[in-house]
Amino acid sequence: MRLHVFVKGRLVAHLYRQADDYALRYTADAASDDFVSLTMPVREQAWVWPRDLHPFFRQNLPEGFLLQVIREEFGPYLDGTDLSLLAVIGGSGIGRVTVGSEGGAPGSELDPLDLNSLLHEDITTDHFAELVRYYARAAISGAVPKFLAPESSSAPAPLGKQTLRTSRHIIKGSDEQTPYLGFNEHYSMQVLARLGVARVAKTTMSDDGRVLVVDRFDVDEDGKPALGVEDACSLLGLPPHEKYRPSTEQVLNATKPYIAASSWRQEAEQLGWLLLTNYVVRNADCHSKNIALLYSDIDDVVYTPAYDIVTTEAYPRFANNPPALSVDGRKTWASGKTLERFFNTRLGIAPKRYREMVEALCDSAVSTGKDIVEAARNETRWRWIAKQMLHAWNEGMASLRSAKPQVALKALTPVIEGAGFSDADDADNGRKVIGRSELLANHGKGV
């Protein structure tokens, strides 16, 4: 099997098996700006990766439920290799690179999706699963149910693969393990977004709190792929299933060299805001695939807007999970001076500025927490997830403020008590918390 590789619609390379290895060879007329990956600049010699697809092409391969659906829907077209999987889903995905087979990808034209009905009608888990199954032909990573789809509000265009490539949103749903995940992620993202200090992906929550519509940041105003996206896991040369293995230091070392020195101070804070937000809201799933670079060319590389910020501790099944990325060899929420030292020595953010950032996020968490309480007051089915989130944030804020957090540091306590919320549900210790699940993959405890 031989696949065509396109950058913004222009054929620039071919991808194929070479004995037991995989090879990417640029076309003779490929220009230097036509590079497929930051790690594979244009050259005459083929880029060969042993035994598996190059990490760049694996970064957006589907996981979990979506992968299962694709295998069921397109089984006759799959030969068990990631190359055949890429042939099916590579025509639609995240970033400026698309992939297609020489004979054309299987499947039929797809109906456009009415975002208005998706946002304003109750969408059950089964209904969302049906949507995922129908639109299951997109190169989009992650285990949470999600998909890309053509939208009925888009400018008129032929349906099918071309329309799929002009989708301007990622549609994410909830499952039985993570109820009201749309509500959770939307408000968790707002803790950083409302400060206006960092780039954050825009999100819109459905009326029932189950679905989240995320604006894509890699497309232009017409929804066409315009910017490249590469996550730290790919840049480290790791397969997606090893996304929890790297340390925060390794993620930094893999991404910083591509960012211009003149931009580093601003980009260091962009990364710093993301890291701190995940500690505040207790997101144990900020792994190396959730830190990525965005670029128009080799001289214009920045960190992507923050995305996939979720209060994982809100769900008892995952409440004992530590941070996904270690700092100074440790995975623990009680970071003490370790995180502050990382900011100072690795990001160039002085302790005074670090503490200012922590306090700004804590203030925002309190304000956002009040919004959550108000939302749950108007919609009682959100009370449980609202309660769980606020308790997690309370712990996150206090842990960042002091190695030995005291009651006085838990600034959300009055908000929680005013809402009449009970204590947070205990972690589900009856199940294996650390390990594979619908939301989190294999993931070690702190030391």
Side-chain angles (χ1 to χ4, degrees):
M1 179 180 293
R2 184 181 178 92
L3 303 184
H4 296 313
V5 182
F6 302 85
V7 171
K8 293 194 288 187
R10 169 179 160 80
L11 177 63
V12 301
H14 296 98
L15 182 65
Y16 52 92
R17 291 288 297 273
Q18 183 174 287
D20 290 332
D21 303 327
Y22 289 81
L24 173 80
R25 184 178 294 277
Y26 285 101
T27 60
D29 61 345
S32 59
D33 288 342
D34 292 330
F35 64 92
V36 169
S37 164
L38 293 168
T39 63
M40 296 187 291
V42 175
R43 68 180 189 183
E44 184 176 348
Q45 182 183 358
W47 289 96
V48 179
W49 194 262
R51 303 186 67 82
D52 284 313
L53 270 179
H54 308 73
F56 172 81
F57 291 108
R58 299 187 71 184
Q59 71 174 352
N60 285 331
L61 291 183
E63 306 167 69
F65 177 70
L66 182 56
L67 177 58
Q68 176 186 336
V69 167
I70 289 174
R71 283 173 172 164
E72 292 173 358
E73 295 294 312
F74 299 101
Y77 300 97
L78 304 178
D79 61 11
T81 68
D82 284 342
L83 195 66
S84 64
L85 176 61
L86 193 62
V88 171
I89 53 89
S92 173
I94 305 300
R96 66 178 193 166
V97 176
T98 53
V99 178
S101 62
E102 289 182 317
S108 58
E109 293 184 346
L110 300 175
D111 294 330
L113 180 70
D114 183 358
L115 284 182
N116 189 61
S117 64
L118 188 70
L119 289 171
H120 302 302
E121 297 177 3
D122 278 2
I123 304 296
T124 65
T125 300
D126 289 342
H127 184 189
F128 195 86
E130 291 175 3
L131 291 173
V132 172
R133 189 174 299 279
Y134 181 75
Y135 291 108
R137 242 183 72 183
I140 180 169
S141 66
V144 173
K146 66 178 77 169
F147 61 89
L148 303 177
E151 297 143 27
S152 59
S153 58
S154 301
L159 296 180
K161 197 168 67 173
Q162 179 180 355
T163 309
L164 279 174
R165 289 202 300 269
T166 62
S167 173
R168 291 173 295 166
H169 304 95
I170 298 171
I171 317 297
K172 306 174 73 172
S174 308
D175 59 26
E176 299 303 325
Q177 303 292 335
T178 56
Y180 301 108
L181 189 61
F183 179 97
N184 184 330
E185 183 169 340
H186 176 71
Y187 281 106
S188 296
M189 296 273 285
Q190 289 306 303
V191 172
L192 178 55
R194 70 190 305 156
L195 289 176
V197 294
R199 299 181 296 274
V200 181
K202 181 182 177 182
T203 62
T204 304
M205 182 183 77
S206 64
D207 292 345
D208 62 8
R210 293 191 179 101
V211 175
L212 191 72
V213 176
V214 184
D215 287 11
R216 290 175 58 177
F217 45 72
D218 62 312
V219 298
D220 61 21
E221 292 181 356
D222 297 323
K224 295 180 180 179
L227 302 174
V229 179
E230 292 190 53
D231 62 47
C233 187
S234 167
L235 292 171
L236 285 164
L238 298 175
H241 67 266
E242 294 188 23
K243 59 191 175 186
Y244 294 101
R245 196 179 91 182
S247 65
T248 308
E249 291 87 351
Q250 289 173 314
V251 166
L252 177 63
N253 292 340
T255 54
K256 183 179 179 180
Y258 296 103
I259 299 173
S262 59
S263 304
W264 175 243
R265 185 172 180 178
Q266 178 180 348
E267 293 310 306
E269 284 217 352
Q270 173 72 23
L271 177 59
W273 284 112
L274 170 63
L275 295 175
L276 284 178
T277 302
N278 285 295
Y279 274 80
V280 168
V281 304
R282 289 291 176 94
N283 175 24
D285 209 34
C286 181
H287 46 67
S288 60
K289 287 184 65 58
N290 285 343
I291 298 176
L293 297 177
L294 183 73
Y295 53 84
S296 59
D297 58 56
I298 196 66
D299 297 317
D300 178 31
V301 183
V302 297
Y303 285 109
T304 63
Y307 60 92
D308 282 1
I309 300 175
V310 180
T311 303
T312 57
E313 190 173 300
Y315 301 108
R317 185 181 177 94
F318 312 117
N320 285 339
N321 282 27
L325 300 174
S326 65
V327 178
D328 196 22
R330 304 179 68 216
K331 287 187 176 185
T332 174
W333 295 118
S335 58
K337 290 290 184 179
T338 303
L339 195 59
E340 180 180 316
R341 185 165 55 249
F342 173 87
F343 271 61
N344 189 22
T345 61
R346 298 298 188 107
L347 298 182
I349 297 174
K352 180 176 183 293
R353 177 58 177 161
Y354 169 85
R355 290 190 290 271
E356 290 173 349
M357 294 169 73
V358 168
E359 289 306 310
L361 283 167
C362 289
D363 288 344
S364 182
V366 172
S367 298
T368 307
K370 293 176 181 177
D371 291 344
I372 288 177
V373 169
E374 186 63 27
R377 182 176 292 118
N378 295 326
E379 178 51 79
T380 56
R381 57 182 164 178
W382 293 337
R383 282 186 63 84
W384 178 83
I385 187 61
K387 175 194 74 172
Q388 295 292 107
M389 290 172 66
L390 294 195
H391 279 293
W393 294 7
N394 220 15
E395 294 298 325
M397 293 160 58
S399 295
L400 272 184
R401 283 171 158 168
S402 172
K404 297 181 179 180
Q406 302 174 11
V407 174
L409 297 176
K410 297 186 176 182
L412 273 169
T413 299
V415 178
I416 292 170
E417 293 177 346
F421 289 154
S422 60
D423 292 341
D425 291 0
D426 292 335
D428 189 350
N429 293 316
R431 302 179 185 178
K432 186 179 180 182
V433 176
I434 306 301
R436 292 195 177 275
S437 71
E438 293 300 320
L439 180 62
L440 303 178
N442 210 4
H443 188 162
K445 285 187 177 180
V447 296

